[in-house]
Coordinates of all heavy atoms in Angstrom, one line a residue:
M284 N 3.3 -15.5 44.3 CA 3.7 -14.7 43.2 C 5.1 -15.0 42.7 O 6.0 -15.0 43.6 CB 3.5 -13.2 43.5 CG 3.6 -12.3 42.4 SD 3.3 -10.6 42.9 CE 2.1 -10.1 41.8
R285 N 5.2 -15.1 41.4 CA 6.6 -15.4 40.8 C 7.4 -14.1 40.8 O 6.9 -13.0 40.6 CB 6.4 -15.9 39.4 CG 6.2 -17.3 39.3 CD 6.0 -17.8 37.9 NE 7.1 -17.4 37.0 CZ 7.0 -17.6 35.7 NH1 6.0 -18.1 35.2 NH2 8.0 -17.2 35.0
K286 N 8.7 -14.4 41.2 CA 9.6 -13.2 41.2 C 10.0 -12.9 39.7 O 10.1 -13.8 38.9 CB 10.9 -13.5 42.0 CG 10.8 -13.2 43.4 CD 12.2 -13.3 44.0 CE 12.5 -12.1 44.8 NZ 13.8 -12.2 45.4
I287 N 10.3 -11.7 39.4 CA 10.7 -11.2 38.1 C 12.2 -11.4 38.0 O 13.0 -10.9 38.8 CB 10.3 -9.8 37.9 CG1 8.7 -9.7 37.8 CG2 10.9 -9.3 36.5 CD1 8.3 -8.3 37.8
N288 N 12.6 -12.1 37.0 CA 14.0 -12.2 36.7 C 14.5 -10.9 35.9 O 14.1 -10.7 34.8 CB 14.3 -13.4 35.8 CG 15.7 -13.6 35.4 OD1 16.5 -12.6 35.4 ND2 16.1 -14.8 35.1
P289 N 15.3 -10.1 36.6 CA 15.7 -8.8 35.9 C 16.3 -9.0 34.6 O 16.1 -8.1 33.6 CB 16.8 -8.2 36.9 CG 16.6 -9.0 38.1 CD 16.0 -10.3 37.9
E290 N 17.2 -10.0 34.4 CA 17.8 -10.2 33.0 C 16.7 -10.5 32.0 O 16.7 -10.0 30.8 CB 18.8 -11.2 33.1 CG 20.1 -10.8 33.8 CD 21.1 -11.9 33.9 OE1 21.0 -12.9 33.1 OE2 22.0 -11.8 34.7
E291 N 15.8 -11.4 32.4 CA 14.7 -11.8 31.4 C 13.8 -10.6 31.1 O 13.4 -10.4 30.0 CB 14.0 -13.0 32.0 CG 13.0 -13.7 31.1 CD 13.8 -14.3 29.9 OE1 14.9 -14.8 30.1 OE2 13.3 -14.2 28.8
Y292 N 13.5 -9.9 32.2 CA 12.7 -8.7 32.0 C 13.3 -7.7 31.0 O 12.7 -7.2 30.1 CB 12.5 -8.0 33.4 CG 11.7 -6.7 33.4 CD1 10.4 -6.7 33.2 CD2 12.4 -5.6 33.5 CE1 9.7 -5.5 33.1 CE2 11.7 -4.3 33.4 CZ 10.3 -4.4 33.3 OH 9.7 -3.2 33.2
Q293 N 14.6 -7.5 31.2 CA 15.4 -6.5 30.4 C 15.4 -7.0 28.9 O 15.2 -6.3 27.9 CB 16.8 -6.2 30.9 CG 17.5 -5.2 30.1 CD 16.8 -3.8 30.2 OE1 16.4 -3.4 31.3 NE2 16.5 -3.2 29.1
K294 N 15.5 -8.3 28.7 CA 15.5 -8.9 27.4 C 14.3 -8.6 26.7 O 14.2 -8.3 25.5 CB 15.9 -10.5 27.5 CG 17.0 -10.9 26.8 CD 17.1 -12.3 26.6 CE 17.7 -13.1 27.7 NZ 17.8 -14.5 27.6
R295 N 13.2 -8.9 27.4 CA 11.8 -8.7 26.8 C 11.6 -7.1 26.5 O 11.0 -6.8 25.5 CB 10.8 -9.2 27.7 CG 10.8 -10.7 27.8 CD 9.8 -11.3 28.7 NE 9.9 -12.7 28.8 CZ 9.0 -13.5 29.3 NH1 7.8 -13.0 29.8 NH2 9.2 -14.8 29.4
L296 N 12.0 -6.4 27.4 CA 11.9 -4.9 27.2 C 12.6 -4.5 26.0 O 12.1 -3.7 25.2 CB 12.5 -4.2 28.4 CG 11.8 -2.8 28.8 CD1 10.3 -3.0 29.0 CD2 12.5 -2.3 30.1
D297 N 13.8 -5.0 25.8 CA 14.6 -4.6 24.6 C 14.0 -5.1 23.3 O 14.0 -4.4 22.3 CB 16.1 -5.2 24.7 CG 16.9 -4.7 25.8 OD1 16.5 -3.6 26.3 OD2 17.9 -5.2 26.2
K298 N 13.4 -6.3 23.4 CA 12.7 -6.8 22.2 C 11.5 -6.0 21.9 O 11.3 -5.6 20.7 CB 12.3 -8.3 22.5 CG 11.8 -8.9 21.2 CD 11.6 -10.5 21.4 CE 11.1 -11.0 20.1 NZ 11.8 -12.2 19.7
I299 N 10.7 -5.6 22.8 CA 9.6 -4.7 22.6 C 10.0 -3.4 22.0 O 9.5 -2.8 21.1 CB 8.7 -4.5 23.9 CG1 8.0 -5.9 24.2 CG2 7.7 -3.4 23.8 CD1 7.3 -5.9 25.6
S300 N 11.1 -2.8 22.6 CA 11.6 -1.5 22.1 C 12.0 -1.6 20.7 O 11.8 -0.7 19.9 CB 12.8 -1.0 23.0 OG 12.4 -0.8 24.3
E301 N 12.7 -2.7 20.3 CA 13.1 -2.9 19.0 C 11.9 -3.1 18.0 O 11.9 -2.4 16.9 CB 14.0 -4.2 18.9 CG 14.6 -4.5 17.6 CD 15.4 -5.8 17.7 OE1 16.0 -6.1 18.7 OE2 15.3 -6.6 16.7
L302 N 10.8 -3.8 18.5 CA 9.7 -3.9 17.6 C 9.0 -2.5 17.4 O 8.7 -2.2 16.3 CB 8.6 -4.8 18.3 CG 8.9 -6.2 18.2 CD1 7.9 -7.1 19.1 CD2 8.7 -6.7 16.7
F303 N 8.9 -1.8 18.4 CA 8.2 -0.4 18.3 C 9.1 0.6 17.5 O 8.6 1.3 16.7 CB 7.9 0.2 19.7 CG 6.6 -0.3 20.2 CD1 6.6 -1.3 21.2 CD2 5.4 0.1 19.7 CE1 5.4 -1.8 21.7 CE2 4.2 -0.4 20.2 CZ 4.2 -1.3 21.2
A304 N 10.4 0.4 17.7 CA 11.3 1.4 16.9 C 11.1 1.1 15.3 O 11.0 2.0 14.5 CB 12.8 1.1 17.3
G305 N 10.9 -0.2 15.0 CA 10.8 -0.6 13.6 C 9.5 0.0 13.1 O 9.3 0.5 12.0
M306 N 8.4 -0.2 13.9 CA 7.1 0.4 13.5 C 7.1 1.9 13.3 O 6.5 2.5 12.4 CB 6.0 0.0 14.5 CG 5.7 -1.4 14.5 SD 4.8 -2.0 16.0 CE 3.3 -1.1 15.9
V307 N 7.8 2.6 14.2 CA 7.8 4.1 14.1 C 8.6 4.5 12.9 O 8.2 5.4 12.2 CB 8.5 4.6 15.5 CG1 8.8 6.1 15.3 CG2 7.5 4.4 16.6
T308 N 9.7 3.9 12.7 CA 10.5 4.1 11.4 C 9.6 4.0 10.2 O 9.6 4.8 9.3 CB 11.8 3.2 11.4 OG1 12.5 3.5 12.5 CG2 12.6 3.6 10.1
H309 N 8.9 2.8 10.1 CA 8.0 2.6 9.0 C 7.0 3.7 8.8 O 6.7 4.2 7.7 CB 7.4 1.2 9.0 CG 6.5 0.8 7.9 ND1 7.1 0.7 6.6 CD2 5.2 0.7 7.8 CE1 6.1 0.4 5.8 NE2 4.9 0.4 6.6
A310 N 6.4 4.0 10.0 CA 5.3 5.1 10.0 C 5.8 6.4 9.5 O 5.2 7.1 8.7 CB 4.6 5.1 11.3
D311 N 7.1 6.8 9.9 CA 7.7 8.0 9.6 C 8.0 8.0 8.1 O 7.6 9.0 7.4 CB 9.0 8.2 10.3 CG 8.9 8.8 11.7 OD1 7.8 9.2 12.0 OD2 9.9 8.7 12.4
E312 N 8.5 6.9 7.5 CA 8.7 6.9 6.1 C 7.5 7.0 5.2 O 7.4 7.7 4.3 CB 9.4 5.6 5.7 CG 10.9 5.5 6.2 CD 11.4 4.1 6.0 OE1 10.8 3.1 5.5 OE2 12.6 3.9 6.5
L313 N 6.4 6.2 5.7 CA 5.1 6.3 5.1 C 4.5 7.6 5.1 O 3.9 8.1 4.1 CB 4.2 5.2 5.7 CG 3.0 4.7 4.8 CD1 3.6 4.1 3.6 CD2 2.2 3.7 5.6
S314 N 4.6 8.3 6.2 CA 4.0 9.6 6.4 C 4.6 10.7 5.4 O 4.0 11.7 5.1 CB 4.0 10.1 7.8 OG 5.3 10.5 8.1
M315 N 5.8 10.4 5.0 CA 6.5 11.3 4.0 C 6.0 11.1 2.6 O 6.2 11.9 1.8 CB 8.0 11.2 4.1 CG 8.6 11.5 5.5 SD 8.1 13.2 6.0 CE 8.9 14.2 4.9
K316 N 5.3 10.0 2.4 CA 4.8 9.6 1.0 C 3.4 9.7 0.8 O 2.8 10.0 -0.2 CB 5.5 8.2 0.6 CG 7.0 8.3 0.5 CD 7.5 7.0 0.2 CE 9.1 7.0 0.0 NZ 9.6 5.7 0.0
R317 N 2.7 9.1 1.8 CA 1.3 9.1 1.7 C 0.6 10.4 2.3 O 0.8 10.7 3.4 CB 0.6 7.9 2.4 CG -0.9 7.8 2.2 CD -1.4 6.5 2.5 NE -3.0 6.5 2.4 CZ -3.6 6.1 1.3 NH1 -2.9 5.6 0.3 NH2 -4.9 6.1 1.3
C318 N -0.1 11.1 1.5 CA -0.6 12.4 1.9 C -1.7 12.2 3.0 O -2.5 11.3 2.9 CB -1.3 13.0 0.7 SG -2.0 14.6 1.1
P319 N -1.7 13.0 4.0 CA -2.6 12.9 5.1 C -4.0 13.2 4.7 O -5.0 12.9 5.5 CB -2.1 13.9 6.2 CG -1.2 14.9 5.4 CD -0.6 14.1 4.3
Y320 N -4.2 13.9 3.6 CA -5.5 14.1 3.1 C -6.2 13.0 2.3 O -7.3 13.1 1.9 CB -5.5 15.4 2.3 CG -5.2 16.7 3.2 CD1 -3.9 17.2 3.2 CD2 -6.2 17.3 4.0 CE1 -3.6 18.3 4.0 CE2 -5.9 18.3 4.8 CZ -4.6 18.8 4.8 OH -4.3 19.9 5.5
K321 N -5.4 12.0 2.0 CA -5.9 11.0 1.1 C -6.6 9.8 2.1 O -5.9 9.4 3.0 CB -4.6 10.3 0.4 CG -5.0 9.2 -0.6 CD -3.7 8.8 -1.3 CE -4.0 7.9 -2.4 NZ -2.8 7.6 -3.1
N322 N -7.8 9.6 1.8 CA -8.5 8.7 2.7 C -8.3 7.2 2.2 O -7.6 7.0 1.2 CB -10.0 9.0 2.7 CG -10.8 8.8 1.5 OD1 -10.3 8.1 0.6 ND2 -12.0 9.3 1.4
R323 N -8.9 6.3 2.8 CA -8.6 4.9 2.5 C -9.2 4.4 1.2 O -8.9 3.4 0.7 CB -9.2 4.0 3.7 CG -10.7 4.0 3.8 CD -11.0 3.3 5.1 NE -12.4 3.4 5.4 CZ -13.3 2.5 5.3 NH1 -13.0 1.3 5.0 NH2 -14.6 2.7 5.5
F324 N -10.0 5.3 0.6 CA -10.6 5.0 -0.7 C -9.8 5.7 -1.8 O -10.3 5.8 -3.0 CB -12.1 5.4 -0.8 CG -12.9 4.8 0.3 CD1 -13.5 5.5 1.3 CD2 -13.2 3.4 0.2 CE1 -14.2 4.9 2.3 CE2 -14.0 2.8 1.2 CZ -14.5 3.6 2.3
D325 N -8.7 6.2 -1.4 CA -7.8 7.0 -2.4 C -8.6 8.2 -2.9 O -8.3 8.7 -4.1 CB -7.3 6.1 -3.5 CG -6.3 5.1 -3.1 OD1 -5.7 5.3 -2.0 OD2 -6.2 4.1 -3.8
Q326 N -9.3 8.8 -2.1 CA -10.1 10.1 -2.4 C -9.4 11.2 -1.6 O -8.8 11.0 -0.5 CB -11.5 10.0 -2.0 CG -12.2 9.0 -2.8 CD -13.6 8.7 -2.2 OE1 -13.8 8.7 -0.9 NE2 -14.6 8.5 -3.0
C327 N -9.5 12.4 -2.2 CA -8.9 13.6 -1.5 C -9.9 14.3 -0.7 O -10.9 14.6 -1.1 CB -8.3 14.5 -2.7 SG -7.6 16.0 -2.0
T328 N -9.4 14.6 0.6 CA -10.3 15.3 1.5 C -9.9 16.8 1.7 O -10.4 17.5 2.5 CB -10.4 14.6 2.8 OG1 -9.0 14.6 3.4 CG2 -10.8 13.2 2.7
A329 N -8.8 17.2 1.0 CA -8.2 18.5 1.1 C -9.2 19.5 0.6 O -9.9 19.4 -0.4 CB -6.9 18.6 0.4
Q330 N -9.2 20.7 1.2 CA -10.1 21.8 0.8 C -9.2 22.8 0.1 O -9.7 24.0 -0.1 CB -10.7 22.5 2.1 CG -11.6 21.5 2.9 CD -12.8 21.1 2.0 OE1 -13.5 21.9 1.4 NE2 -13.0 19.7 2.0
F331 N -8.1 22.5 -0.5 CA -7.3 23.4 -1.2 C -6.8 22.7 -2.5 O -7.1 21.5 -2.7 CB -6.0 23.8 -0.4 CG -5.2 22.7 0.1 CD1 -4.3 22.0 -0.7 CD2 -5.4 22.2 1.4 CE1 -3.5 21.0 -0.2 CE2 -4.7 21.1 1.9 CZ -3.7 20.5 1.1
G332 N -6.3 23.5 -3.5 CA -5.9 22.9 -4.7 C -4.7 22.1 -4.7 O -3.9 22.2 -3.8
C333 N -4.7 21.1 -5.5 CA -3.6 20.1 -5.6 C -3.5 19.5 -7.0 O -4.6 19.2 -7.6 CB -3.7 19.0 -4.6 SG -2.4 17.8 -4.6
R334 N -2.4 19.5 -7.6 CA -2.2 19.0 -8.9 C -2.5 17.5 -9.0 O -2.7 16.9 -10.1 CB -0.8 19.2 -9.5 CG -0.5 20.7 -9.8 CD 0.7 20.9 -10.5 NE 1.9 20.2 -9.9 CZ 2.7 20.8 -9.0 NH1 2.6 22.1 -8.7 NH2 3.7 20.2 -8.5
N335 N -2.6 16.8 -8.0 CA -2.9 15.3 -8.0 C -4.4 15.1 -7.9 O -4.8 13.9 -8.0 CB -2.2 14.6 -6.8 CG -0.8 14.6 -6.9 OD1 -0.3 14.5 -8.0 ND2 0.0 14.7 -5.8
K336 N -5.2 16.1 -7.7 CA -6.7 16.0 -7.7 C -7.3 15.6 -9.0 O -6.9 16.3 -10.0 CB -7.4 17.2 -7.2 CG -7.6 17.2 -5.7 CD -8.5 18.4 -5.3 CE -8.3 18.7 -3.8 NZ -9.2 19.7 -3.4
R337 N -8.1 14.6 -9.1 CA -8.8 14.3 -10.3 C -10.3 14.2 -10.1 O -10.7 14.2 -9.0 CB -8.4 12.9 -10.8 CG -6.9 12.7 -11.1 CD -6.5 13.5 -12.3 NE -5.0 13.3 -12.6 CZ -4.1 14.1 -12.1 NH1 -4.3 15.1 -11.3 NH2 -2.8 13.9 -12.4
K338 N -11.1 14.3 -11.2 CA -12.5 14.3 -11.0 C -13.0 13.1 -10.2 O -12.5 12.0 -10.3 CB -13.2 14.3 -12.4 CG -13.1 15.5 -13.1 CD -13.8 15.5 -14.4 CE -13.6 16.8 -15.1 NZ -14.2 16.8 -16.5
P339 N -14.1 13.3 -9.4 CA -14.7 12.1 -8.7 C -15.2 11.1 -9.6 O -15.5 11.4 -10.8 CB -15.9 12.8 -7.9 CG -15.7 14.2 -8.0 CD -14.8 14.5 -9.2
L340 N -15.2 9.9 -9.2 CA -15.7 8.8 -10.0 C -17.2 8.8 -10.2 O -17.7 8.3 -11.3 CB -15.3 7.4 -9.4 CG -13.8 7.1 -9.4 CD1 -13.5 5.8 -8.6 CD2 -13.2 7.1 -10.7
A341 N -17.9 9.5 -9.3 CA -19.4 9.6 -9.4 C -19.8 10.9 -8.8 O -19.1 11.4 -7.9 CB -20.1 8.4 -8.7
P342 N -20.9 11.5 -9.3 CA -21.3 12.7 -8.7 C -21.6 12.6 -7.2 O -22.1 11.6 -6.7 CB -22.7 13.0 -9.4 CG -22.7 12.1 -10.7 CD -21.7 10.9 -10.3
G343 N -21.1 13.7 -6.5 CA -21.3 13.8 -5.1 C -20.2 13.1 -4.3 O -20.1 13.2 -3.1
Q344 N -19.2 12.4 -5.0 CA -18.1 11.8 -4.3 C -17.0 12.8 -4.2 O -16.9 13.8 -4.9 CB -17.7 10.5 -5.1 CG -18.6 9.4 -4.9 CD -18.0 8.1 -5.4 OE1 -16.9 8.1 -6.1 NE2 -18.6 7.0 -5.2
L345 N -16.0 12.4 -3.4 CA -14.8 13.3 -3.2 C -13.9 13.1 -4.5 O -14.0 12.1 -5.1 CB -14.0 12.8 -2.0 CG -14.7 13.2 -0.7 CD1 -13.9 12.4 0.4 CD2 -14.6 14.7 -0.4
P346 N -13.1 14.1 -4.8 CA -12.1 13.9 -5.9 C -11.2 12.7 -5.7 O -11.0 12.4 -4.5 CB -11.3 15.2 -5.9 CG -12.0 16.2 -5.0 CD -12.9 15.3 -4.1
V347 N -10.7 12.2 -6.7 CA -9.8 11.1 -6.7 C -8.4 11.6 -6.5 O -8.1 12.6 -7.1 CB -9.9 10.2 -8.0 CG1 -8.8 9.2 -7.9 CG2 -11.2 9.5 -8.0
C348 N -7.6 11.0 -5.7 CA -6.2 11.4 -5.5 C -5.4 10.5 -6.5 O -5.4 9.3 -6.4 CB -5.7 11.2 -4.2 SG -3.9 11.5 -4.0
A349 N -4.6 11.2 -7.3 CA -3.8 10.5 -8.4 C -2.4 10.3 -7.9 O -1.5 9.8 -8.6 CB -3.8 11.3 -9.7
N350 N -2.1 10.7 -6.7 CA -0.7 10.5 -6.2 C -0.4 9.0 -6.0 O -1.2 8.3 -5.5 CB -0.5 11.3 -4.9 CG 0.9 11.2 -4.4 OD1 1.8 11.2 -5.2 ND2 1.1 11.3 -3.1
D351 N 0.8 8.6 -6.5 CA 1.1 7.2 -6.4 C 1.8 6.8 -5.1 O 2.3 5.7 -4.9 CB 1.9 6.7 -7.6 CG 3.3 7.5 -7.7 OD1 3.6 8.3 -6.7 OD2 4.0 7.4 -8.7
D352 N 1.9 7.7 -4.1 CA 2.6 7.5 -2.8 C 4.0 7.1 -3.0 O 4.6 6.5 -2.0 CB 1.9 6.4 -2.0 CG 0.4 6.7 -1.7 OD1 0.0 7.9 -1.8 OD2 -0.4 5.8 -1.5
K353 N 4.7 7.5 -4.1 CA 6.1 7.3 -4.2 C 6.9 8.5 -4.2 O 8.1 8.4 -3.8 CB 6.4 6.6 -5.6 CG 5.8 5.2 -5.7 CD 6.1 4.5 -7.0 CE 5.5 3.1 -7.0 NZ 5.2 2.7 -8.3
L354 N 6.3 9.7 -4.4 CA 7.0 10.9 -4.3 C 6.4 11.8 -3.2 O 5.3 11.6 -2.8 CB 6.9 11.6 -5.7 CG 7.5 10.9 -6.8 CD1 7.2 11.7 -8.1 CD2 9.0 10.8 -6.7
D355 N 7.2 12.8 -2.8 CA 6.7 13.8 -1.8 C 5.5 14.5 -2.4 O 5.5 15.3 -3.3 CB 7.8 14.8 -1.5 CG 7.4 15.6 -0.2 OD1 6.3 15.6 0.1 OD2 8.3 16.3 0.2
Y356 N 4.3 14.3 -1.8 CA 3.0 14.9 -2.2 C 3.0 16.4 -2.0 O 2.2 17.1 -2.7 CB 1.8 14.2 -1.4 CG 2.1 14.2 0.1 CD1 1.7 15.3 0.8 CD2 2.6 13.2 0.7 CE1 2.0 15.4 2.2 CE2 2.8 13.2 2.0 CZ 2.5 14.3 2.8 OH 2.8 14.3 4.2
R357 N 3.7 17.0 -1.1 CA 3.6 18.4 -0.8 C 4.0 19.3 -1.9 O 3.5 20.4 -1.9 CB 4.4 18.7 0.5 CG 3.8 18.0 1.8 CD 4.8 18.1 2.9 NE 5.9 17.3 2.6 CZ 6.9 17.0 3.5 NH1 7.0 17.6 4.6 NH2 7.9 16.2 3.1
K358 N 4.8 18.7 -2.9 CA 5.1 19.6 -4.0 C 4.0 19.9 -4.9 O 4.0 20.8 -5.7 CB 6.3 18.9 -4.8 CG 7.6 18.9 -3.9 CD 8.7 18.3 -4.7 CE 9.9 18.2 -3.8 NZ 10.8 17.2 -4.2
A359 N 2.9 19.1 -4.8 CA 1.8 19.2 -5.7 C 0.7 20.2 -5.1 O -0.2 20.7 -5.8 CB 1.1 17.9 -6.0
W360 N 0.9 20.6 -3.8 CA -0.2 21.4 -3.2 C 0.0 22.8 -3.7 O 1.1 23.4 -4.0 CB 0.2 21.4 -1.7 CG -0.2 20.1 -1.0 CD1 -0.7 19.0 -1.5 CD2 -0.1 19.9 0.5 NE1 -0.9 18.1 -0.5 CE2 -0.5 18.6 0.7 CE3 0.4 20.6 1.5 CZ2 -0.5 17.9 1.9 CZ3 0.5 20.1 2.7 CH2 0.0 18.8 3.0
Q361 N -1.2 23.4 -3.9 CA -1.2 24.8 -4.4 C -1.7 25.7 -3.3 O -2.9 25.9 -3.1 CB -2.2 24.8 -5.7 CG -1.7 24.0 -6.8 CD -2.7 23.6 -7.8 OE1 -3.9 23.6 -7.5 NE2 -2.3 23.2 -9.0
T362 N -0.7 26.2 -2.6 CA -1.0 27.0 -1.4 C -1.0 28.4 -1.4 O -1.5 29.1 -0.6 CB 0.0 26.5 -0.3 OG1 1.3 26.7 -0.7 CG2 -0.2 25.1 0.2
A363 N -0.5 29.0 -2.5 CA -0.5 30.5 -2.6 C -1.5 31.1 -3.6 O -2.2 30.4 -4.3 CB 0.9 30.9 -3.2
Ligands
LIG1095 S1 -4.9 15.2 -4.3 FE1 -3.2 16.2 -3.3 S2 -4.0 17.0 -1.3 FE2 -5.4 15.5 -2.1 S3 -4.9 13.6 -1.1 FE3 -3.9 13.6 -3.1 S4 -1.8 14.5 -2.7 FE4 -3.2 15.0 -1.0

């Protein structure tokens, strides 16, 4: 069995940590812009009012989400 070189091991660990840190930062930024109720078809799954909701494209479908994912979506929610 090959011995582990501690320096090489640490270098790889640092590289993996750097990669994951970048992914987490991107996910954090995206989560502040893309509404969690918006599905992959850009439809709204929320059961409450929102100014970004538009009529479904076809009967029986979910409403369309008109949010462009550039602004904070939470300001459009009608919670009261
Ligand atoms: S319509 Fe409003 S609640 Fe629904 S997915 Fe879009 S931003 Fe979210």
Side-chain angles (χ1 to χ4, degrees):
M284 185 180 232
R285 277 179 49 190
K286 267 189 132 181
I287 296 172
N288 177 337
E290 284 178 22
E291 193 60 37
Y292 175 75
Q293 188 59 50
K294 239 195 270 181
R295 291 180 185 194
L296 209 56
D297 291 346
K298 188 169 180 134
I299 289 171
S300 296
E301 190 182 315
L302 281 171
F303 277 104
M306 289 166 61
V307 168
T308 301
H309 179 67
D311 276 350
E312 288 169 6
L313 201 60
S314 73
M315 296 306 291
K316 294 177 182 166
R317 184 165 175 99
C318 179
Y320 294 99
K321 188 174 186 176
N322 70 15
R323 66 191 172 111
F324 303 112
D325 292 338
Q326 297 169 322
C327 177
T328 62
Q330 299 297 308
F331 54 84
C333 177
R334 289 191 307 269
N335 291 326
K336 267 189 198 184
R337 301 292 182 269
K338 287 183 181 174
L340 293 177
Q344 285 189 352
L345 290 168
V347 171
C348 174
N350 186 30
D351 60 6
D352 299 341
K353 290 182 182 152
L354 298 173
D355 188 350
Y356 52 83
R357 289 168 295 183
K358 291 178 183 158
W360 289 358
Q361 297 159 338
T362 53

